[in-house]
């Protein structure tokens, strides 16, 4: 299954390696195109939809294409696990739409992730991703940091158990964000540092600039400035993605 095999992140089959390399550089459309000949296979169809949904979150564009790909993936599911995985992606698409102000789909996001929870076995690798996304909804749509932290921790432990390094980089980052919000600077710095380390090791370029910017928030000058400059360089190199990072990298005028 492509989603599970991608835990290898570039060290799997030639197709998986090619998809990962394109994804890690923000070339989601090209990565999805590689999977187009295999969309009759539920795993490939789901992976293609996931790539296009991720593009939406990072670029704020491509919503119709992501919706079309997700419907195609839903149409070829056969097992509860596949239907649960598709529901998880639908919840994530609805979450992204709500978070970025495209359209309020918060109820749809919660309903889809709840459906996924009923279908995905608690002991499978997919459960970690589901828990992480439920944490995102709790934090950013429900303003419930305690519920988010609990979900992130479940996802963190499961990602570690299943060897999902990329997901670990996300759980480290979001747990650190909650720590920073509570003034736990040392804990936040550790989490952001771990997230950055993993992303650099994996070559996940499109996620490295946000990791650098987050770490800068816990650093003093001149280190903070150096981290922001490196984040800005990568941001420009990748054509201004993720789009939402621009506000963090814009220099503030002197008062």
């Amino acid at each position: 299954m492509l989603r599970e095999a991608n835990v290898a992140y570039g060290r799997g089959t030639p197709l998986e390696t090619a998809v990962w390399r394109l994804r890690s550089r923000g070339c989601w459309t090209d990565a999805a195109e590689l999977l187009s000949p295999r969309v009759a296979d539920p795993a490939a169809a789901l992976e293609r939809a996931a790539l296009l949904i991720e593009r939406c979150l990072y670029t704020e564009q491509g919503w119709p294409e992501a919706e079309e790909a997700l419907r195609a993936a839903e149409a070829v599911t056969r097992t509860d696990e596949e239907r649960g995985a598709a529901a998880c992606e639908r919840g994530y698409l609805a979450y992204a739409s709500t978070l970025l102000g495209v359209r309020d789909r918060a109820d749809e996001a919660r309903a889809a992730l709840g459906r996924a929870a009923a279908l995905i076995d608690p002991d499978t690798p997919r459960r970690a991703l589901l828990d992480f996304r439920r944490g995102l909804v709790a934090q950013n749509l429900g303003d419930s940091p305690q519920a988010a932290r609990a979900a992130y921790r479940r996802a963190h432990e499961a990602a570690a158990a299943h060897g999902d390094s990329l997901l670990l980089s996300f759980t480290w980052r979001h747990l650190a964000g909650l720590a920073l919000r509570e003034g736990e600077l040392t804990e936040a710095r550790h989490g952001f540092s771990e997230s950055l380390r993993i992303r650099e090791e994996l070559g996940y370029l499109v996620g490295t600039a946000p990791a650098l910017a987050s770490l800068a928030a816990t650093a003093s000058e001149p280190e903070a400035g150096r981290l922001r400059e490196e984040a800005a360089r990568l941001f420009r190199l990748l054509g201004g993605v993720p789009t939402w990072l621009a506000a963090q990298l814009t220099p503030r005028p002197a008062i």
Side-chain angles (χ1 to χ4, degrees):
M1 305 240 328
L2 286 175
R3 168 61 72 177
E4 295 178 8
N6 270 348
V7 173
Y9 300 119
R11 298 185 294 274
T13 68
L15 175 60
E16 290 159 1
T17 299
V19 168
W20 166 249
R21 287 178 177 172
L22 289 167
R23 176 191 175 191
S24 67
R25 289 160 176 76
C27 301
W28 297 280
T29 303
D30 292 338
E33 187 62 29
L34 291 180
L35 298 172
S36 293
R38 302 181 59 183
V39 291
D41 171 58
L46 183 65
E47 185 70 11
R48 184 173 182 275
L51 288 165
L52 294 175
I53 292 168
E54 187 172 85
R55 180 183 69 164
C56 292
L57 191 64
Y58 278 72
T59 69
E60 302 181 59
Q61 297 178 357
W63 303 94
E65 294 87 348
E67 182 67 41
E68 182 182 355
L70 181 53
R71 287 178 179 170
E74 289 169 335
V76 296
T77 58
R78 296 186 295 262
T79 67
D80 281 349
E81 185 76 11
E82 291 167 354
R83 285 187 283 271
C88 185
E89 294 302 332
R90 176 152 299 284
Y92 195 46
L93 179 60
Y95 162 79
S97 175
T98 307
L99 182 72
L100 297 174
V102 177
R103 182 159 63 90
D104 187 348
R105 299 171 61 180
D107 289 343
E108 180 186 353
R110 294 187 182 94
L113 294 179
R115 186 163 66 253
L119 292 168
I120 297 175
D121 190 290
D123 296 325
T124 63
R126 291 188 193 276
R127 191 71 181 211
L129 181 63
L130 171 61
D131 281 336
F132 173 68
R133 289 175 173 176
R134 296 183 88 178
L136 292 175
V137 169
Q139 179 181 357
N140 297 316
L141 304 188
D143 193 23
S144 180
Q146 290 184 336
R149 182 181 292 103
Y152 292 152
R153 284 178 174 164
R154 289 194 304 271
H156 190 82
E157 292 172 3
H162 292 292
D164 191 337
S165 298
L166 183 61
L167 182 55
L168 272 176
S169 84
F170 280 95
T171 54
W172 273 121
R173 173 174 159 77
H174 283 77
L175 285 167
L178 290 176
L180 184 62
R181 178 176 174 176
E182 295 177 354
E184 299 292 340
L185 193 61
T186 300
E187 182 181 345
R189 184 171 177 80
H190 174 68
F192 287 140
S193 296
E194 285 297 299
S195 178
L196 175 61
R197 176 186 62 78
I198 292 170
R199 292 180 179 194
E200 288 180 335
E201 288 178 355
L202 293 175
Y204 186 53
L205 289 181
V206 76
T208 300
L212 286 163
S214 293
L215 184 58
T218 69
S220 302
E221 298 296 349
E223 182 190 5
R226 179 184 62 78
L227 290 167
R228 284 193 296 269
E229 287 176 6
E230 179 61 14
R233 185 187 70 80
L234 283 174
F235 179 73
R236 292 191 298 270
L237 178 67
L238 293 170
V241 292
T243 53
W244 40 262
L245 188 61
Q248 295 181 41
L249 297 177
T250 302
R252 296 176 182 175
I255 297 177

